[in-house]
């Protein structure tokens, strides 16, 4: 039974026709025509929530954090393969820290090899490179490669899922819970459109040297050429990624980043009824809201901070089923999740200053090098026995990441990174002079990181007892023109 109701938002009425039930689409189309010719004045298209209870969407200005559009953006949804965005985030983080390299071999256990399609089909005891695994996640959305990375980086997929959830909290994703690395169905694995947009922004801003992988549309794997699922790449101006997803419970999902004319947005569509309607929805959102994004800003980083109260796996399991069918009934006991960012703005730490220029330049230089490497076809996959790659990441010892001084524990702040250690130390000295009381007891130190083909020196201050003091120091430095973000060491 189609029961449309009036809604004042004209953009919603025109944009969401693709998400109406098929029985309502004809009615909506006819009604729209009648209104246009003046024969009926009271007929309106159904609201998105009625049209498709799974639907959630959001568009965020990636330069300012301003929410340009939202529709049920905080409702719990199943992420499906959007999950792999966090798997890739932790992979990029391990690469940047020097714990792994692009050519590090990732072994496939029986558990990883037996994951259902889509998959690369790597046999038990075989291995592929980290780069091939990343490309497999981005193009084919390979479930087996996701699990293999999780086991390699975390020791087990269960432990890696806890790492994923912990990282989600650090990024301010307060309503996301991960239970696996690939997005295969699990009723306790939930997210929101807003959280996924936040993750999309973080991937671009934290890892510009690796973000370009999301624009890869195909790669050669052994004797086959694997092509991606993202149909907006190469067809919508400015689109450079990020990730698609689908399960029967979630519907068709998409996170998209687009940059054009000095503007940058990240959009999320969750719960499309088909891949085509999902893609069309995203095209309309980008066309509508990209011109409204700001040309100002840039160099911003989403601050990694702890958030509480938050959604637990137990709570997620109780409410997820109701949520994806159109209602969200929070449990009677336990806290209601809250947000550190409001409807109009995601909390970001940003500063387009010379202090952050060295980090941006260094990462962009590395990104350019990686792009050149990827323009040549990825070498045919050489399946090898597991051999010496059987250990987990925690068991590996590397010399590629070295703390230049004693690394303090607790909360630290980072104000930049540069290929030259002397420049990093100079940056710390200048910040110390201008930081005032906020940095009076802070300990400056640098961390050498061999990231891919380039070594960077991170400029950091430690010795903060808690998040509030670290955040206060960042605020003081940003008032002086420094870039800054806080993290728990």
């Amino acid at each position: 039974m189609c029961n449309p109701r009036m809604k004042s938002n004209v953009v919603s009425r025109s944009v969401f026709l693709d998400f109406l039930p098929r029985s309502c689409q004809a009615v909506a189309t006819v009604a729209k025509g009648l209104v246009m010719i003046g024969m009926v004045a009271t007929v309106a298209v159904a609201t998105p929530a009625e049209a498709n209870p799974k639907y959630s969407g959001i568009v965020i200005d990636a330069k300012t954090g301003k929410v340009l559009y939202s529709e049920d953006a905080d409702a719990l949804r199943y992420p499906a393969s959007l999950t792999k965005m966090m798997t890739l985030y932790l992979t990029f983080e391990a690469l940047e820290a020097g714990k792994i390299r692009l050519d590090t071999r990732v072994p496939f256990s029986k558990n990883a090899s037996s994951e259902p399609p889509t998959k690369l089909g790597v046999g038990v005891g075989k291995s592929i490179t980290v780069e091939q695994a990343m490309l497999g996640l981005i193009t084919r959305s390979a479930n087996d490669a996701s699990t293999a990375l999780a086991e390699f980086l975390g020791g087990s997929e269960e432990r890696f899922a806890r790492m994923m959830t912990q990282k989600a909290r650090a990024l301010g994703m307060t309503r996301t819970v991960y239970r696996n690395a690939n997005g295969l169905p699990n009723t306790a694995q939930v997210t929101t459109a807003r959280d996924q947009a936040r993750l999309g922004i973080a991937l671009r801003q934290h890892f510009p040297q690796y973000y370009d992988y999301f624009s890869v549309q195909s790669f050669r794997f052994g004797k086959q050429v694997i092509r991606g699922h993202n149909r907006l790449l190469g067809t919508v101006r400015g689109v450079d990624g990020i990730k698609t997803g689908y399960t029967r419970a979630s519907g068709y999902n998409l996170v998209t980043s687009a940059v054009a004319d000095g503007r940058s947005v990240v959009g999320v569509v969750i719960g499309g009824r088909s891949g085509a309607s999902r893609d069309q929805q995203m095209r309309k959102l980008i066309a509508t809201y990209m011109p409204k994004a700001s040309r100002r800003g840039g160099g911003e980083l989403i601050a990694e901070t702890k958030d509480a109260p938050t959604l637990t796996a137990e709570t997620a399991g109780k409410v997820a089923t109701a949520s994806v069918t159109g209602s969200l009934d929070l449990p009677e006991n336990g806290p209601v999740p809250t947000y550190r960012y409001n409807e109009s703005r995601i909390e970001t730490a940003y500063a387009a200053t010379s202090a952050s220029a060295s980090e941006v330049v260094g990462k962009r230089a590395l990104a350019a090098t990686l792009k050149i490497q990827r323009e040549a076809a990825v070498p045919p996959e050489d399946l090898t026995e597991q051999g010496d790659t059987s250990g987990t990441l925690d068991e590996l010892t590397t010399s590629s990441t070295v703390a230049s001084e004693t690394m303090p524990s607790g909360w630290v702040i980072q104000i930049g990174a540069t290929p030259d250690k002397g420049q990093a130390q100079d940056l710390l000295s200048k910040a110390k002079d201008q930081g005032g009381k906020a940095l009076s007891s802070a300990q400056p130190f640098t961390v050498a990181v061999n990231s891919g083909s380039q070594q960077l020196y991170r400029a950091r201050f430690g010795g903060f007892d808690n998040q509030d003091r670290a955040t206060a120091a960042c605020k003081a430095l940003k008032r002086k023109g420094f870039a800054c973000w806080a993290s728990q060491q």
Side-chain angles (χ1 to χ4, degrees), residues 424-464:
Q425 291 173 335
D426 288 343
L427 181 59
L428 288 169
S429 178
K430 292 178 181 178
K432 184 77 170 179
D433 291 341
Q434 299 183 44
K437 293 182 179 180
L439 293 179
S440 60
S441 60
Q443 175 187 344
F445 66 102
T446 62
V447 178
V449 179
N450 186 3
S451 181
S453 61
Q454 182 172 356
Q455 180 162 284
L456 297 175
Y457 292 87
R458 294 171 174 167
R460 292 182 170 182
F461 287 97
F464 300 99

Side-chain angles (χ1 to χ4, degrees), residues 175-189:
R175 307 207 77 191
T176 296
V177 174
Y178 292 107
R179 301 305 292 269
N180 61 50
N182 46 41
L184 288 170
N186 186 308
T187 57
Q189 180 151 298

Side-chain angles (χ1 to χ4, degrees), residues 29 37 40 94 104 138 157 202 212 218 247 262 266 277 331 422 484 487-488:
T29 303
I37 65 176
V40 175
T104 298
I138 290 167
E157 188 172 19
D212 187 56
S218 65
T247 64
V266 170
S277 66
C484 185
S487 175
Q488 190 169 29

